[in-house]
Amino acid sequence: MPRHVILLTDAHEAPAYELIEALRLAGVQTLIEGLRDVEAEAALIRHREIESTGEKLQEAPLAVLHEVIAGADTVELHAAIDHAKMFWPGTPVIACRRHQMGLHGFSVRGLDGATLKRLGFRAIADKAAQLPAILHEIEGHGATGELKLPEMVRPVTESGLASLPAKMKAASLRAAFDLVSSLHFIGDQSDAAQVALTGLTALAKADRWTIYLLADEKGPEAATLEAIASLKPAEKAIAELRDDLREVLLAGEAVSTGNESKAARLAGAGMGTIRKKERGEYIVAIPLICGERILGVLEGRREQRSFKKSELALLEALSLPIASALANAVRIGEAERLSQTDDLTKLHNARYLRQFLLNEIRRARRYGTSVAALFLDLDDFKRVNDAHGHLAGSHVLMEMAGVILSSIRDTDAVARYGGDEFVIVLPDTGIELAGTVAERIREKIRKHSFNAGRNLKLSLTASFGVAAFPEHASSPQHLISCADTAMYEAKAANKNCVRFSPLLRSREEKPASEGGVPVSILDADEGKAFS
């Protein structure tokens, strides 16, 4: 059997398309196994039948994967790990984070890497693109060998852990390793900072920990400090008593610029580690240095007794991997942004559109709202390329992106779907309002004078197709398909107009021979969108 992995899924979430596609491109086959009680029981029966008949079990997988969503129940995670150990003993279990967006587009934090490893996961992949490298390391070092970080980012462990104080208790040493390992592959600086502060609370006592970043590139003297994460361990302790691990990472408080201590400003200005007393508080400030550059400052405050030299030595050692993680977060975040951005127009691409639309339709199902999609295609755009060249055509597409962006809300999403086609997703929008938005954009395009980078003053029009969930479609893929079909109807109606998809019920009533939509499409699982 070819190289393969087992992907454990539950009854609530369909497998992420990006995860399966990343493995496919790496030449790894994905076998999906459900974690529902019925499916697990059926799998157990099959396993026992094979053992009783003496048949040869299939080749062991490279790893068992399990997607971890924000707010995942630790009981369910334990069940997934137990399931993997039962059927594939000795096979490493990898947690694959599945990032979700909140109601206003904010990333929802989940369990940190150290917690996931304590639960029994061998490695954690924050992005689907990291899986091939992790599997390669597993193949090279075996199921129990040491995993090394891929070369895509600078390791955050070498310089920090090597300089840890020689005399440390086993629990503190373990906590230090957990802190550093939890920082791997975090693609957001605020998340990395919050995870670092959460880990620090187990190593050194303070009334409040804060991480600042230098907010100005002109040099240390002109730089200002901007707080990106702050944590009061008292709040963390309350969250732990509630047995709500998500609260641990969400316990930070906002700290406005200008509230930093003098010690923090001195550390940020290149004066090294500063320990002093200010306004009745004992303060320590450690510069976060990556390479030869000061990225920010780690600040600790407490009212009782000064920070000891042993604590300073520990904090200085951990400041190195924390700084490295903050620097890596920028690179990882930028790589992720580029992977979801169209190179020409700088709009989102189809990859981003897939996940955004999937999340919005899930939210619409949960709250009983609507999601609309506008599919627009420029009319006779080929004439621009033929008459003025493809460079002029590229400039027109960039101008078109600006026209569309100026006509939608911040909560909407627009993606270049391909060529001169664009898709606009309007969350919390019914079909009537979507039609109004389409007509407004259509008219704005018609009136706009496109200079194509040469002051050509070209006039263009566009044809629009409009569809909405759940009125016209039952899944993300179906929604785009309906809007696309409506767009072609607009093309057939002399172009430069807006057409709407027929209601879902009216199409269900038509037999397939009369142009009705097959039931298999209407019942398509939203998790298989765009597959």
Side-chain angles (χ1 to χ4, degrees), residues 57-293:
L57 295 174
Q58 67 177 17
E59 183 181 346
L62 296 176
V64 178
L65 313 181
H66 182 60
E67 288 189 294
V68 179
I69 63 173
D73 190 343
T74 54
V75 176
E76 294 180 356
L77 296 179
H78 272 299
I81 293 172
D82 291 342
H83 183 95
K85 290 180 178 178
M86 177 186 298
F87 291 100
W88 304 279
T91 301
V93 185
I94 300 176
C96 307
R97 292 191 189 277
R98 184 162 185 163
H99 298 280
Q100 294 180 313
M101 304 301 289
L103 295 182
H104 301 287
F106 293 106
S107 169
V108 181
R109 293 190 181 99
L111 300 179
D112 61 272
T115 301
L116 291 174
K117 287 191 174 182
R118 282 195 294 268
L119 289 173
F121 289 103
R122 172 79 186 290
I124 296 94
D126 284 295
K127 307 292 180 184
Q130 296 169 2
L131 274 174
I134 293 176
L135 293 176
H136 177 73
E137 291 296 326
I138 288 177
E139 287 184 292
H141 296 84
T144 59
E146 180 185 1
L147 291 186
K148 296 181 180 179
L149 294 179
E151 295 297 329
M152 57 180 288
V153 292
R154 183 180 297 112
V156 300
T157 59
E158 294 181 359
S159 58
L161 295 182
S163 57
L164 284 174
K167 296 182 179 180
M168 285 185 66
K169 294 181 179 180
S172 297
L173 187 61
R174 187 180 304 111
F177 274 93
D178 286 344
L179 186 158
V180 174
S181 64
S182 67
L183 294 174
H184 294 165
F185 304 122
I186 298 179
D188 179 83
Q189 281 191 320
S190 296
D191 289 347
Q194 198 67 48
V195 168
L197 296 185
T198 302
L200 280 177
T201 59
L203 293 164
K205 293 182 179 180
D207 296 329
R208 185 174 72 190
W209 292 104
T210 306
I211 288 181
Y212 299 94
L213 286 184
L214 289 177
D216 197 327
E217 300 291 340
K218 296 180 180 179
E221 295 182 357
T224 58
L225 293 176
E226 178 181 350
I228 61 168
S230 184
L231 181 65
K232 289 184 177 180
E235 295 175 352
K236 175 180 179 291
I238 293 174
E240 289 176 332
L241 289 175
R242 293 173 180 169
D243 196 26
D244 187 352
L245 292 176
R246 287 181 62 219
E247 292 288 340
V248 176
L249 293 180
L250 296 174
E253 63 173 70
V255 180
S256 60
T257 301
N259 286 346
E260 68 275 5
S261 63
K262 292 181 180 178
R265 289 196 291 271
L266 289 173
M271 301 299 292
T273 298
I274 305 296
R275 179 177 55 167
K276 61 185 303 187
K277 187 175 183 179
E278 296 181 25
R279 298 178 182 179
E281 289 184 311
Y282 295 98
I283 297 175
V284 62
I286 300 98
L288 299 174
I289 303 173
C290 184
E292 298 181 355
R293 179 187 169 202

Side-chain angles (χ1 to χ4, degrees), residues 290-499:
C290 184
E292 298 181 355
R293 179 187 169 202
I294 299 177
L295 297 180
V297 175
L298 169 64
E299 178 192 77
R301 299 176 182 228
R302 64 189 185 196
E303 295 181 357
Q304 303 295 328
R305 63 186 176 80
S306 176
F307 288 87
K308 297 184 293 184
K309 290 184 178 181
S310 59
E311 291 175 309
L312 291 182
L314 175 62
L315 293 174
E316 288 177 342
L318 292 175
S319 70
L320 299 176
I322 291 175
S324 182
L326 293 175
N328 281 341
V330 175
R331 291 191 286 268
I332 295 171
E334 179 65 10
E336 178 67 17
R337 185 191 67 79
L338 290 175
S339 71
Q340 297 181 347
T341 303
D342 176 61
D343 289 338
L344 177 63
T345 63
K346 305 308 177 186
L347 296 174
H348 297 303
N349 59 16
R351 181 187 180 203
Y352 176 90
L353 177 69
R354 284 191 287 266
Q355 192 59 48
F356 181 84
L357 189 55
L358 184 62
N359 290 338
E360 289 303 323
I361 284 188
R362 283 177 177 163
R363 190 165 68 89
R365 287 186 189 276
R366 185 178 302 121
Y367 297 106
T369 57
S370 297
V371 180
L374 313 182
F375 200 115
L376 71 98
D377 184 272
L378 302 185
D379 297 328
D380 303 316
F381 182 71
K382 185 176 182 296
R383 295 181 181 177
V384 176
N385 288 331
D386 292 343
H388 305 286
H390 288 276
L391 184 59
S394 296
H395 276 283
V396 169
L397 292 176
M398 289 188 284
E399 291 180 72
M400 183 63 64
V403 173
I404 297 174
L405 286 173
S406 66
S407 307
I408 62 174
R409 304 167 298 185
D410 291 340
T411 54
D412 302 330
V414 55
R416 184 186 177 199
Y417 201 69
D420 57 338
E421 297 175 332
F422 300 85
V423 174
I424 305 169
V425 178
L426 309 174
D428 300 316
T429 303
I431 190 63
E432 293 184 3
L433 180 57
T436 301
V437 173
E439 185 60 34
R440 181 173 70 238
I441 298 175
R442 184 197 66 79
E443 186 64 16
K444 197 167 186 177
I445 292 173
R446 186 185 67 82
K447 292 181 178 180
H448 188 81
S449 178
F450 295 87
N451 60 46
R454 306 179 191 174
N455 199 26
L456 294 177
K457 297 182 180 180
L458 302 176
S459 295
L460 292 172
T461 60
S463 299
F464 285 74
V466 182
F469 170 89
E471 294 92 335
H472 305 117
S474 59
S475 69
Q477 183 182 26
H478 191 201
L479 181 61
I480 294 297
S481 177
C482 289
D484 185 30
T485 301
M487 183 273 294
Y488 278 106
E489 292 179 2
K491 290 283 189 183
N494 296 323
K495 306 175 182 178
N496 189 28
C497 60
V498 178
R499 289 292 182 269

